[in-house]
């Protein structure tokens, strides 16, 4: 799988390249600015772009803007946004605008190679990935009534793990449930959220978007 890394921290770029190369990925570009990132995506045609939110020249949201532009111009390219900061609004805005193929992780997660490679693989398959810390914040926040309230406590746990990008097998291992039980919970979540089966939509992604919007 082909990957581009965009971050103005040289050590992080080099570290990510080494980790991903050892894991079997092909790093086709390493850049330090959003403008270089756009060029690299055009030239290298990566499967996934790993992007820091805050990049030169203003170090505000250049990376996030570039991530949105890449998804609009190249919807086949997955985007994994990294940040030092716990900003749930960034994750919510990105995934609401581009359901599927986008993810948001805190930079502290990238040292866990299994988490990083799993996230990249899921983005390549059109799923979404949200950092567990952000998911926990969203679960605990005060919010208006919604269809999410119709879910049981266990179903909310399953949906939160889906938002983290976990597969049914991963949910089984985390919650110590059988595959059939998890499948039943996922089915009930789709039904209660009014998400019908469709060839054009990824139902897990739509469920995560509903969770974020709630």
């Amino acid at each position: 799988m082909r990957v581009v890394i965009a971050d103005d921290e040289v050590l992080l770029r080099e570290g990510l390249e080494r980790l991903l190369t050892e894991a079997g990925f092909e790093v086709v570009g390493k850049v330090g600015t959003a403008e270089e990132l756009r060029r690299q995506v055009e030239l290298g045609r990566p499967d996934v772009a790993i992007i820091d939110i805050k990049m030169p020249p203003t170090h505000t949201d250049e990376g996030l803007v570039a991530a949105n532009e890449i998804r609009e111009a190249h919807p086949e390219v997955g985007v994994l946004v990294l940040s030092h900061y716990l900003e749930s609004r960034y994750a919510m805005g990105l995934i609401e605008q581009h359901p599927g193929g986008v993810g948001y992780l805190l930079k502290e997660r990238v040292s866990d190679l299994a988490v990083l490679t799993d996230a990249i693989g899921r983005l390549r398959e059109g799923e979404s990935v949200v950092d567990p810390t952000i998911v926990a914040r969203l679960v605990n926040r005060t919010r208006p009534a919604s269809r999410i309230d119709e879910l049981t406590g266990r179903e909310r746990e399953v949906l939160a793990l889906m938002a983290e990008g976990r597969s049914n097998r991963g949910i089984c291992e985390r919650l110590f449930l059988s595959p059939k039980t998890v499948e039943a919970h996922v089915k009930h979540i789709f039904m209660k959220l009014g998400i019908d089966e469709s060839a054009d939509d990824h139902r897990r992604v739509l469920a995560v978007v509903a969770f974020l919007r709630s």
Side-chain angles (χ1 to χ4, degrees):
M1 191 182 301
R2 296 162 63 83
V3 178
V4 163
I5 301 169
D7 197 295
D8 63 331
E9 296 182 36
V10 176
L11 290 179
L12 182 61
R13 290 203 306 265
E14 299 296 328
L16 277 175
E17 180 186 31
R18 181 175 180 179
L19 284 172
L20 293 174
T21 300
E22 290 177 352
F25 293 88
E26 180 184 359
V27 178
V28 297
K30 297 178 297 177
V31 299
T33 69
E35 188 58 38
E36 292 174 316
L37 168 63
R38 295 182 185 93
R39 270 198 310 270
Q40 193 60 59
V41 169
E42 290 288 345
L43 295 173
R45 296 294 178 174
D47 297 302
V48 174
I50 301 176
I51 307 171
D52 184 20
I53 282 184
K54 299 187 176 184
M55 300 177 72
T58 68
H59 293 278
T60 54
D61 63 351
E62 284 89 350
L64 194 64
V65 171
N68 279 307
E69 291 177 352
I70 289 169
R71 287 297 296 164
E72 290 173 1
H74 307 282
E76 74 281 3
V77 178
V79 168
L80 177 60
V81 171
L82 302 180
S83 176
H84 280 304
Y85 308 100
L86 182 58
E87 291 285 359
S88 57
R89 61 191 175 90
Y90 286 147
M92 292 167 63
L94 183 64
I95 294 176
E96 284 185 345
Q97 289 182 59
H98 305 284
V102 299
Y104 185 105
L105 290 180
L106 296 180
K107 284 188 175 180
E108 62 192 55
R109 303 285 177 196
V110 301
S111 59
D112 188 331
L113 184 58
V115 171
L116 181 61
T117 57
D118 182 69
I120 293 172
R122 294 195 178 285
L123 297 183
R124 185 68 182 90
E125 295 301 316
E127 296 187 33
S128 59
V129 177
V130 181
D131 194 277
T133 307
I134 295 175
V135 171
R137 171 181 282 191
L138 294 173
V139 167
N140 295 323
R141 70 182 174 176
T142 302
R143 52 186 170 74
S146 71
R147 284 189 171 186
I148 297 293
D149 296 320
E150 298 178 18
L151 303 181
T152 66
R154 179 63 85 184
E155 288 166 354
R156 283 195 292 271
E157 287 182 310
V158 171
L159 180 54
L161 291 173
M162 287 168 60
E164 293 177 19
R166 295 182 185 271
S167 63
N168 280 11
R169 180 177 178 181
I171 296 171
C172 288
E173 294 172 354
R174 183 69 176 272
L175 298 181
F176 303 103
L177 299 174
S178 70
K180 286 187 176 180
T181 299
V182 170
E183 288 174 7
H185 283 316
V186 172
K187 182 178 179 180
H188 291 156
I189 289 168
F190 292 153
M191 180 180 66
K192 291 180 180 180
L193 296 183
I195 300 173
D196 297 324
E197 189 167 359
S198 168
D200 298 323
D201 296 316
H202 198 305
R203 291 205 290 172
R204 293 177 83 91
V205 172
L206 294 178
V208 170
V209 170
F211 169 70
L212 293 175
R213 286 175 175 167
S214 71

